[in-house]
Amino acid sequence: MESIKKKVTALQALNWRAIACGALALLIVGLVLWGCISTSNAKDMQRKYAFSRQAVADTLYGVTAKMTLEYDNAYLAGADVEGEILPSMRTYFAQARALNSAMSQAYGEEYAVLDDGLLKEIDAAFAEYDSAFRGGRSTDSAGSMMTEAMAHTRRALDAHYNDDASLK
């Protein structure tokens, strides 16, 4: 019983005000450290997010520009539009469509370079080429549709990218 009385006396002798101030000071220091670490982590995540967005945007620009450049070869003498140029363009277009979708879904619709109307326009030009080849008809109308679609594609690239091909 005497040891309990000694412990109660010892506890009463403690300066609870000093202990409370010390605990409060430790709490404040902990909160400041947590705030600094959280801010640092947030900035690191923002940097990684921006880097990822730019990497996808760079690849999107590359495949879309290659698609338009590939079509420029369609008017060269001896160009194999059906066997080489259009299949290559379709490959680039599929990649551009996937990357464009990834950009809009991950970062928001404002980052979509190719809007739905332009995608439909390019699809229609490909369909017109296919129809002309299957029917043995002239590809003049398909060529004019694709020329217009590629002009719109170039304007879309110019609207979303700087002169150094970086996303605006």
Side-chain angles (χ1 to χ4, degrees):
M1 182 79 157
E2 209 173 290
S3 70
I4 293 176
K5 287 184 181 179
K6 285 183 182 178
K7 288 182 181 178
V8 168
T9 307
L11 286 174
Q12 288 174 347
L14 291 176
N15 186 349
W16 290 105
R17 184 171 272 187
I19 292 172
C21 287
L24 183 62
L26 284 175
L27 179 65
I28 290 172
V29 168
L31 286 174
V32 168
L33 285 173
W34 175 79
C36 291
I37 291 170
S38 295
T39 302
S40 175
N41 286 341
K43 286 183 181 181
D44 186 49
M45 290 302 294
Q46 286 174 343
R47 183 184 54 77
K48 287 178 182 177
Y49 180 82
F51 179 77
S52 298
R53 183 179 58 228
Q54 190 61 48
V56 174
D58 290 348
T59 307
L60 173 59
Y61 180 86
V63 297
T64 307
K66 286 178 185 177
M67 179 180 66
T68 62
L69 292 173
E70 188 70 29
Y71 186 69
D72 291 344
N73 295 331
Y75 292 104
L76 297 177
D80 183 6
V81 175
E82 185 178 14
E84 290 182 22
I85 293 174
L86 286 178
S88 178
M89 285 180 67
R90 285 182 201 273
T91 301
Y92 291 134
F93 183 56
Q95 293 170 351
R97 177 175 265 166
L99 290 165
N100 190 66
S101 177
M103 286 288 287
S104 65
Q105 289 177 5
Y107 306 112
E109 285 297 321
E110 64 272 13
Y111 288 100
V113 175
L114 309 172
D115 64 20
D116 288 337
L118 181 55
L119 294 172
K120 288 177 184 175
E121 185 179 358
I122 296 169
D123 279 333
F126 278 125
E128 184 67 23
Y129 264 114
D130 291 342
S131 176
F133 289 136
R134 273 193 308 270
R137 295 178 292 129
S138 169
T139 59
D140 289 345
S141 67
S144 65
M145 287 176 71
M146 188 63 81
T147 299
E148 189 172 328
M150 291 302 105
H152 293 155
T153 302
R154 285 184 176 100
R155 279 196 286 276
L157 288 175
D158 290 342
H160 287 86
Y161 291 89
N162 295 322
D163 292 336
D164 64 350
S166 62
L167 193 61
K168 287 183 180 177

